[in-house]
Amino acid sequence: MLLPVFVLVRRVDLAEVIGAALVAKAAGAGVRTIAVRLGRPVETVRGWLRRFARRAEQIRAYFTRVLVDAGVDPVPPAAADTVFADAVAAVAGAWQAAGSRWPGVGEVSPWRLAAAVTHGRLLAPRWP
């Protein structure tokens, strides 16, 4: 089955909702606060955050390569306090770089780009 670009494999929520949770965690919010803010069960949000955290270094490296390959004059994001935050920053940086080369990309969220680039597998058990 083909999935639309705005969802991730085996996830009910839109990529933007999951992305909002990841951004909030990178900014220092706790899982309960994020769950309340998004109106999602705590265990669901905890699962997203754990899955992303397990692959944070892999995700950071992958999206940094996307940023460098797609950018017209790429500038990798500055190092953050955690690998988790670095990975979130790399996704945002790749989105900005792709938008600088292909303006239409800027019309979608960074998390839709992440879903498209990973073929919906950003939080999948096996990552590209």
Side-chain angles (χ1 to χ4, degrees):
M1 166 165 68
L2 294 175
L3 293 174
V5 73
F6 51 84
V7 297
L8 298 173
V9 173
R10 302 185 70 193
R11 306 288 174 225
V12 173
D13 293 289
L14 299 177
E16 285 87 353
V17 174
I18 296 169
L22 300 174
V23 169
K25 174 65 175 172
V31 67
R32 292 184 194 286
T33 303
I34 296 167
V36 168
R37 191 179 306 160
L38 296 176
R40 299 298 188 273
V42 172
E43 286 305 314
T44 298
V45 174
R46 185 174 285 126
W48 299 338
L49 301 179
R50 283 182 179 164
R51 182 71 61 144
F52 190 86
R54 272 188 235 134
R55 292 172 180 74
E57 179 54 34
Q58 215 179 356
I59 293 167
R60 185 207 56 78
Y62 184 81
F63 279 94
T64 299
R65 282 192 304 273
V66 171
L67 181 156
V68 170
D69 290 346
V72 174
D73 190 14
V75 177
D81 293 337
T82 65
V83 176
F84 191 102
D86 281 339
V88 170
V91 171
W95 173 74
Q96 289 175 332
S100 72
R101 179 166 298 231
W102 302 289
V105 171
E107 296 176 13
V108 300
S109 77
W111 300 102
R112 281 196 185 200
L113 175 73
V117 169
T118 62
H119 306 284
R121 290 183 163 81
L122 183 65
L123 300 181
R126 293 194 183 255
W127 207 73

